[in-house]
Amino acid sequence: MSCRYLLLLPLLLIMGVSAVEVQRPRGVPLSKRQFYEEDKPFTCLDGSRTIPFDRVNDDYCDCQDGSDEPGTAACPNGSFHCTNAGYRPGFIPSSRINDGICDCCDTTDEYNSGAACQNTCRDLGRKEKESLQKLAEIAKEGFLLKKQLIQEAKRGLEEKKGKLSEVQVTKKDLEGRVEALRTAKETVEQPEREAKERHLKAWEDEKAVIRQEKEKVRMASVFLELDNDSDGLVSVADLLSHAELDPDSDGSFTEAEAQGLLGGVDKVDTFAFESVWNNIKEKYVSEASPDTPAPVETPPQEKRDSDNDSEPYPDDDIPDEEEEDDEDDDEDDPDEGDYKSPPATQTQGRKDEDDEGTMPPYDYETQNLIDAAQKARDDFDEAERALREVDDQMKNLDKEISFDFGPNAEFAHLYDQCYELSTSEYVYKLCPFHRVSQKPKFGGSETNLGTWGKWAGPENDIYSVMKFEHGTGCWQGPNRSTTVKLTCGKETVVTSTSEPSRCEYLMEFISPAVCQEPPSLDSDVHKHAEL
Ligand code: MAN
């Protein structure tokens, strides 16, 4: 806007001046007047030739560059200058002189064709002036808005800097708090770990006792199964009835092999069977259920209870051993340590493969230690989370404070905003300094048309173009990217989007932040006007 506006300024001035006609050959612009002096020979403007002055505009082309015939159609490459008083001067190819078509608004190109041209320059000038005045008005109002934006940005920057200092103090406090809570946590985790280990150890010991009991029961049951003649002894013949016990599994279970299993004797009683049992228990297949090992009789409850007077675990309220997590991951166990109302899985327990039951709940003291450790872990986690948030806040503030929002931070207000434009197919979204996207109107996901890259205007007007890069890859093409051209306006709005080249998008964005102070128009530069 600024450049265009400055270029148009002379025109505005011209249109407001009174005419002072400077004499020169037809078709010659004022800027070249000095090369056409009536009483001197004329040298072609390319210097190629000098001719008497009366051959200028004599309807015969003498100069290769056409400069001797600025006011006739004699030279194919000549150009005719329309003064267009009241509007803007211009050049037309000299071939259009007297061709019956009115090209210059001041009618001067049709001086000898008889074409009925109307001088429309004043009218055009008036219209142009009106539209330029409108633009100037917009620029003026836009510039006022921009000044406010600059003030806001200044305030915003101060606020952010203030906030940053606050956050820095908070961060220091939080760092101290995190360290204190870490120590507190570690202090209570040590006794927690030890108590849990004790609990686990007691449970392991209990399981070992249970396993032993089961083993004895199974052994007794197998003895009864093997003792075919119920004489209270297991003999070579009894063993031979179980072919699966063949030690070398060669298909022939011999008496000698059976005797070997019996420890070199022919028969064993229940006491001696204990050592035989070790030799056969892995292979033995129960007669009751040939596919499974020998049936195991669960020892009567009374027996267990009486055998284990010191038993610390209630029989029907044994939590799963798996619930007993190891020390390293116990920080993450949400179920851990609810002694007073244990979770269903812990209360009911899950049966082990060996039917060894589930680990019992923690005793009161252990549970208290777990609760205390968990509380310390929660407090520590909470403080760490707060510290991370504060860190993020600081990073964001740092980023915003050092961001290039223009020479006077006039673009800062765009940082948190997005602007949309709906076309027939897509909704385009521009979030300045973040990203541009494209979402199909009738279903389909959003496509990234580029994330913030840089200011990319020409050297003297760098803040007039934004570049967004590295968007979603284009099939057999480049990654999508978007160029956003900014022009001055009172509103902040995306006015158009296009895709000049596949996956390379162009957006027009109006914002007061690019408005420049309009130059003053009340000047008496009549003398500079070319007529
Ligand atoms: C999608 C859109 C278009 C783009 C094509 C390229 O349809 O992102 O803008 O031209 O993909 O394949």
Side-chain angles (χ1 to χ4, degrees):
M1 173 65 199
S2 58
C3 293
R4 191 194 325 166
Y5 192 86
L6 289 173
L7 288 174
L8 293 174
L9 177 64
L11 183 61
L12 277 174
L13 300 174
I14 290 163
M15 291 182 306
V17 302
S18 53
V20 178
E21 184 87 35
V22 178
Q23 288 305 308
R24 64 223 191 238
R26 192 193 300 277
V28 173
L30 186 60
S31 57
K32 292 194 178 146
R33 159 80 187 83
Q34 72 272 24
F35 303 120
Y36 297 84
E37 286 189 76
E38 245 175 71
D39 45 357
K40 290 190 183 154
F42 173 73
T43 300
C44 304
L45 295 187
D46 63 3
S48 59
R49 217 177 147 188
T50 300
I51 54 173
F53 192 79
D54 58 8
R55 283 165 69 173
V56 171
N57 277 344
D58 67 347
D59 210 13
Y60 182 84
C61 193
D62 296 291
C63 298
Q64 275 178 0
D65 64 357
S67 57
D68 61 315
E69 295 298 317
T72 78
C75 295
N77 53 348
S79 67
F80 177 82
H81 178 260
C82 317
T83 302
N84 290 345
Y87 187 52
R88 61 176 82 193
F91 289 92
I92 58 167
S94 56
S95 57
R96 295 191 189 167
I97 296 168
N98 293 325
D99 64 352
I101 296 168
C102 311
D103 293 294
C104 301
C105 67
D106 63 2
T107 75
T108 51
D109 58 315
E110 295 302 318
Y111 59 89
N112 204 16
S113 69
C117 295
Q118 297 272 328
N119 187 323
T120 56
C121 289
R122 209 158 281 281
D123 208 29
L124 287 173
R126 188 177 43 76
K127 282 188 188 136
E128 174 119 350
K129 188 175 173 188
E130 277 168 14
S131 76
L132 287 175
Q133 267 168 346
K134 263 187 207 143
L135 280 179
E137 200 50 44
I138 290 172
K140 199 169 144 194
E141 289 181 41
F143 186 69
L144 282 178
L145 289 171
K146 175 178 176 175
K147 281 202 206 156
Q148 289 173 16
L149 292 175
I150 290 172
Q151 287 313 314
E152 270 170 38
K154 264 195 193 139
R155 276 196 298 276
L157 187 64
E158 287 316 308
E159 264 173 37
K160 277 178 200 114
K161 284 183 178 165
K163 182 89 194 135
L164 184 62
S165 323
E166 273 174 34
V167 173
Q168 271 161 345
V169 173
T170 313
K171 185 182 170 180
K172 273 232 150 340
D173 290 352
L174 271 174
E175 278 170 347
R177 187 169 154 71
V178 164
E179 280 324 301
L181 288 173
R182 188 197 306 281
T183 310
K185 176 176 85 83
E186 285 167 0
T187 308
V188 290
E189 274 179 339
Q190 179 62 21
E192 178 207 30
R193 199 165 23 247
E194 288 164 5
K196 284 171 81 175
E197 274 166 12
R198 273 197 302 278
H199 184 84
L200 183 62
K201 172 81 171 45
W203 170 231
E204 293 295 344
D205 292 350
E206 168 64 5
K207 281 195 296 185
V209 170
I210 293 170
R211 266 197 299 272
Q212 261 179 1
E213 280 176 10
K214 284 181 184 169
E215 190 64 11
K216 273 188 199 159
V217 171
R218 184 165 180 245
M219 185 176 70
S221 148
V222 168
F223 186 92
L224 290 177
E225 267 188 10
L226 282 172
D227 184 10
N228 290 321
D229 53 7
S230 303
D231 63 350
L233 297 167
V234 167
S235 65
V236 166
D238 291 333
L239 283 193
L240 288 176
S241 66
H242 277 259
E244 78 274 13
L245 297 178
D246 179 9
D248 56 11
S249 304
D250 63 353
S252 143
F253 189 13
T254 64
E255 287 190 6
E257 285 173 325
Q259 210 170 33
L261 289 175
L262 290 178
V265 295
D266 287 342
K267 296 177 177 193
V268 292
D269 61 11
T270 49
F271 295 106
F273 186 70
E274 277 184 31
S275 51
V276 175
W277 173 236
N278 282 334
N279 298 335
I280 65 171
K281 64 182 176 191
E282 299 302 332
K283 286 186 164 185
Y284 185 82
V285 176
S286 168
E287 289 161 18
S289 167
D291 294 338
T292 55
V296 176
E297 272 173 39
T298 309
Q301 196 62 54
E302 307 78 61
K303 180 168 188 299
R304 279 193 67 200
D305 290 344
S306 60
D307 282 359
N308 295 283
D309 281 338
S310 59
E311 164 62 54
Y313 309 113
D315 292 308
D316 59 352
D317 194 17
I318 299 176
D320 192 342
E321 183 185 7
E322 288 162 25
E323 291 290 315
E324 169 64 358
D325 42 59
D326 69 41
E327 266 62 20
D328 294 328
D329 64 12
D330 58 10
E331 292 188 16
D332 299 318
D333 185 355
D335 288 339
E336 181 180 66
D338 192 353
Y339 179 70
K340 278 147 204 131
S341 62
T345 50
Q346 187 173 341
T347 316
Q348 292 150 13
R350 289 190 299 266
K351 296 291 173 193
D352 281 349
E353 258 185 20
D354 296 334
D355 201 18
E356 285 184 333
T358 51
M359 192 177 79
Y362 294 112
D363 59 80
Y364 185 74
E365 283 77 23
T366 304
Q367 190 59 51
N368 275 352
L369 289 172
I370 290 171
D371 291 347
Q374 190 54 46
K375 165 103 180 40
R377 277 190 286 273
D378 291 345
D379 291 349
F380 171 75
D381 290 348
E382 179 56 40
E384 262 206 331
R385 200 171 15 254
L387 181 58
R388 273 198 302 276
E389 270 171 26
V390 161
D391 255 337
D392 286 350
Q393 237 181 323
M394 265 180 68
K395 268 185 214 126
N396 290 339
L397 283 167
D398 266 337
K399 187 177 169 197
E400 271 196 68
I401 287 169
S402 55
F403 210 96
D404 180 2
F405 287 128
N408 295 297
E410 54 269 52
F411 297 98
H413 67 290
L414 300 177
Y415 190 72
D416 297 324
Q417 306 293 323
C418 291
Y419 302 88
E420 288 190 354
L421 180 73
S422 186
T423 65
S424 54
E425 248 189 290
Y426 301 103
V427 175
Y428 287 88
K429 186 151 95 179
L430 164 67
C431 302
F433 310 116
H434 292 101
R435 75 198 286 263
V436 179
S437 61
Q438 175 199 55
K439 189 164 168 51
K441 269 180 145 173
F442 308 107
S445 55
E446 197 174 83
T447 304
N448 179 352
L449 303 188
T451 49
W452 170 251
K454 55 182 183 245
W455 290 107
E459 213 177 307
N460 60 348
D461 197 12
I462 190 160
Y463 297 101
S464 61
V465 177
M466 291 173 165
K467 190 82 193 169
F468 293 78
E469 300 159 324
H470 311 303
T472 308
C474 191
W475 190 68
Q476 288 190 337
N479 274 36
R480 286 171 174 77
S481 64
T482 303
T483 301
V484 179
K485 286 197 172 151
L486 291 94
T487 48
C488 163
K490 288 187 280 181
E491 326 272 3
T492 304
V493 61
V494 176
T495 53
S496 78
T497 61
S498 54
E499 194 176 343
S501 160
R502 195 164 151 263
C503 293
E504 290 178 9
Y505 302 83
L506 179 66
M507 271 188 169
E508 307 262 355
F509 186 46
I510 286 182
S511 158
V514 274
C515 295
Q516 300 290 340
E517 181 155 33
S520 155
L521 297 180
D522 55 341
S523 166
D524 62 346
V525 282
H526 309 71
K527 29 191 165 332
H528 302 304
E530 177 174 316
L531 290 174

